[in-house]
Amino acid sequence: MASIRIDNYLRDQGFFDTMAEDVRRGLTSTPKMLPPKYFYDDEGSELFERITEVPEYYPMREEGKLLDAIAPDVMRWMRPAEIVELGSGSSTKTRALLDAAVREDTLRSYIPFDVSESIILEAGEVLERRYPSLDLHGVVGDFQRHLDKIPEANGRRLVLFLGSTIGNMFAAQRIELLRDIRTLLGPEDYLLLGTDLVKDPSIIEPAYDDSQGVTAAFNKNMLRVINNGLDGDFDPEAFDHEAFFNHEEARIEMHLRPHTRQHVTLKKIDLEVDVSPTETIWTECSHKFTRERVSEMLEAAGLQLQEWHAAPGDMFGLSLSCAKG
Ligand code: SAH
Ligand code: TRP
């Protein structure tokens, strides 16, 4: 049985090596903010996996059910030879697509792309056993910098970008990334994009503030990641997790607010900051979309919506698009 091959483009230039600069800029700006990429050390990745299992976190389940429902039909007409997945994580939901494509007997390779080598290796172990005939080729990189490292297409290609990870970016970054993704698509190729949809905040907010406190722990873990990286003395337990739906921007925002005034020293970058209970550190946003907004966003990046699939009650959306000629 062939095992997964991995190309790592972050070995020399780490994902975290811009931390000094990012954190200095973020903590000296108003409002204070920290970039969400610092959530994902090993502990953070584990906490994220646990978030996807809490009952309140509906996007995982809704997207999973929707993929199960559409995979057989889509694979029957598309017949991809290759599937590339950006931010592939554990590749769990992807199995519905891989199963259906393997059944059509057209799929030759699967290329998971993620910043985390360990998560690709872990996913690879399961995939090797389940799909012994597939060529598995992992790419460790930052999808905002290393998309050009994806090997040349070998037949019809389907690019996956699931989990509403695109919603964790701001509008300009989203368009830039989609334009880069467009360059990966030949005239017969497709992008399958997962986007969470606008709905009642009473459903959305608990998904980012679960009753077991897993999301709160995930949010506070970022302060630990920064302590480790920059020799800092943040007290994560002195902060409260806050998550709310910002109607105007149609997004969830996650913040950290100290209960009492905090004086923080980050020795490695020689930075001292005060954080008062009247302010927060903004750590994450998760934008919510409508079919129209998705279509407009694709258009702006030179892509054209071909198929739209929404879960019952518009709980989650999947769009298939291709490059405009
Ligand atoms: N697609 C999976 C995982 C979503 S979590 C799912 O839907 O369940 C987001 C994933 O994207 C994580 O595995 C994270 O490591 C990865 N990721 C985040 N930012 C990235 C970046 N800039 N480049 C590549 N991968 C990234
Ligand atoms: N992209 C997913 C979302 O926006 C996953 C995610 C990113 C997330 N950051 C998060 C989930 C913080 C919970 C908490 O839902």
Side-chain angles (χ1 to χ4, degrees), residues 39-40 48 51 57 59 163-165 168 207-208 215 218 254 284-286 288:
F39 280 129
Y40 298 98
F48 180 73
I51 289 175
Y57 193 69
S164 209
T165 301
N168 303 124
Y208 296 86
T215 313
F218 175 75
M254 295 203 327
E284 180 68 300
C285 58
S286 180
K288 306 302 171 191

